[in-house]
Amino acid sequence: MERRIDFSRERQMLCGRCDHRWRVNLDWIDRWEQGEETCPGCCLTCEHEDSPRVTVDPDDPALDDDRVARFFWYHTSTQADWPTRDFDPAAVLTPETRRIMGGEQRVAAWAARQRGKALHIGTYEAAVHNMLRRIRDQADQRSQFYLYRVRLKLSIVVREGWLVDPGNFVGDVGLDDVCPRGVDVARYLNYHEDPGGLSLALGRNAIASVQRIAVPLPDTRQGGWVRDAVAALEGVSDTAVPATGKLALRMRPSTPRASLGRQLGASLADRLPVNLQDQFASAAAFAEGEDPERWARRTSGLFDLIDDPTSALAALDQQDPQEV
């Protein structure tokens, strides 16, 4: 069962001091994070430890235990076989790395901790947001990403209620910490991707099947933004122009084509919800020497994942579910 996808939907805010709850749009949250808005109940600003934060919408249908397993959930990854069967995190470690880690016994303990981490799935919006964040923060701009649609087993046991985002500073969650014996899935308030939405922490055994597509989808349209962007990029020089004056000491020579590419990417970013703009601009960055048409089609496909998800959903519909 698919839920309505809306990257721009309003969010619920809850003040940690006065318990005032109210609904805001993303532009309000952006202003609040810059200190330009306050809690309507007690005038608290974002600088305070107990200042307002996004919270779960009481009308979120995923709060209904019986519906959790009937919804489609999503995940993005650079792994082409997620969730990997017989996952061995130590397989890629070199002998030197194993020695630095303290030998085989410590490597085995580390690998066990890695295998004990919960998997994460969430809304379609959270999955796309996660991909953009990884591209910006983890140097994954040239990595191939995959979008997974996840079906859960109807027999799963859902933990009662929901948790505040339990991840550590890198987002890791121990499965046993959130899913005690007899529990398969825990809902949690996601602060980082699709803020205010409910995501799930779970083990591999809670997943029935997945469908996978490579994203972004190639934009094969012959007109519109891609055509205009390619024409504009091919119409300017690809020869580097050295910086002058004091900037020459700190900046690499850039080309007019790359500068225009960055402007075109930024102009698309400006059309997106404000909480995605910086991450999209990073993901759509034009590299020196990049092929204009390849860049334009990839960037347009990335934009469509947010602006018009219907093509991605249709592509997933064509994929046979793979049992996990």
Side-chain angles (χ1 to χ4, degrees):
M1 184 163 50
E2 197 73 71
R3 286 173 283 176
R4 180 170 177 263
I5 297 172
D6 184 1
F7 285 88
S8 298
R9 73 181 188 280
E10 291 186 334
R11 317 288 161 134
Q12 291 273 335
M13 296 290 291
L14 177 64
C15 181
R17 173 183 287 179
C18 71
D19 290 332
H20 185 71
R21 181 190 290 266
W22 73 107
R23 188 179 294 272
V24 300
N25 60 29
L26 291 172
D27 289 328
W28 188 97
I29 294 177
D30 183 59
R31 295 193 303 272
W32 173 76
E33 290 176 344
Q34 298 176 55
E36 299 174 4
E37 296 283 358
T38 62
C39 171
C42 64
C43 297
L44 208 63
T45 62
C46 64
E47 290 86 1
H48 294 268
E49 183 177 353
D50 53 354
S51 63
R53 300 194 70 172
V54 290
T55 191
V56 172
D57 190 325
D59 294 326
D60 191 322
L63 289 171
D64 184 339
D65 294 357
D66 294 333
R67 301 176 74 180
V68 170
R70 301 184 182 279
F71 286 137
F72 288 138
W73 297 87
Y74 290 88
H75 179 74
T76 45
S77 175
T78 56
Q79 293 178 260
D81 60 346
W82 181 92
T84 308
R85 186 182 296 275
D86 301 322
F87 174 51
D88 181 9
V92 298
L93 300 180
T94 64
E96 176 64 14
T97 300
R98 291 170 181 265
R99 184 189 65 79
I100 293 173
M101 292 175 66
E104 291 305 313
Q105 187 172 353
R106 292 196 174 183
V107 167
W110 170 84
R113 290 194 298 272
Q114 300 305 305
R115 287 192 292 268
K117 292 178 182 178
L119 302 176
H120 297 268
I121 58 178
T123 61
Y124 174 93
E125 295 95 323
V128 173
H129 198 161
N130 174 66
M131 178 181 68
L132 295 178
R133 179 188 59 78
R134 284 192 55 176
I135 291 173
R136 185 188 67 179
D137 298 342
Q138 300 181 24
D140 271 325
Q141 186 174 24
R142 303 304 166 201
S143 299
Q144 176 62 64
F145 275 86
Y146 300 92
L147 174 66
Y148 289 88
R149 177 194 275 164
V150 182
R151 288 180 172 87
L152 300 178
K153 294 177 180 177
L154 294 178
S155 60
I156 59 168
V157 176
V158 181
R159 178 171 174 160
E160 184 179 356
W162 53 271
L163 305 170
V164 172
D165 195 329
N168 61 18
F169 71 99
V170 293
D172 292 340
V173 177
L175 181 59
D176 291 342
D177 294 336
V178 294
C179 291
R181 184 180 298 274
V183 172
D184 302 302
V185 171
R187 290 167 289 207
Y188 67 90
L189 166 61
N190 197 326
Y191 280 136
H192 305 290
E193 292 98 22
D194 190 29
L198 283 170
S199 291
L200 304 182
L202 70 166
R204 192 178 188 277
N205 291 336
I207 299 175
S209 64
V210 298
Q211 294 165 290
R212 185 201 75 182
I213 57 172
V215 288
L217 296 172
D219 188 326
T220 58
R221 293 171 292 188
Q222 300 304 309
W225 186 88
V226 169
R227 177 196 59 203
D228 295 342
V230 172
L233 290 167
E234 290 181 341
V236 296
S237 172
D238 195 27
T239 302
V241 178
T244 59
K246 294 181 179 179
L247 293 178
L249 300 175
R250 303 192 302 270
M251 295 181 61
R252 294 181 179 180
S254 181
T255 66
R257 178 175 292 175
S259 297
L260 177 59
R262 288 189 287 270
Q263 294 173 24
L264 292 171
S267 69
L268 273 187
D270 288 342
R271 293 162 55 182
L272 295 175
V274 65
N275 66 323
L276 300 178
Q277 290 177 3
D278 288 345
Q279 294 171 337
F280 181 88
S282 295
F286 189 97
E288 298 287 353
E290 192 156 14
D291 177 74
E293 183 167 354
R294 181 181 302 171
W295 173 83
R297 292 195 182 281
R298 179 183 181 277
T299 300
S300 180
L302 199 63
F303 181 82
D304 282 347
L305 284 173
I306 304 166
D307 189 62
D308 183 13
T310 54
S311 294
L313 299 182
L316 284 166
D317 288 341
Q318 299 302 311
Q319 305 302 308
D320 292 330
Q322 302 296 313
E323 292 187 2
V324 172

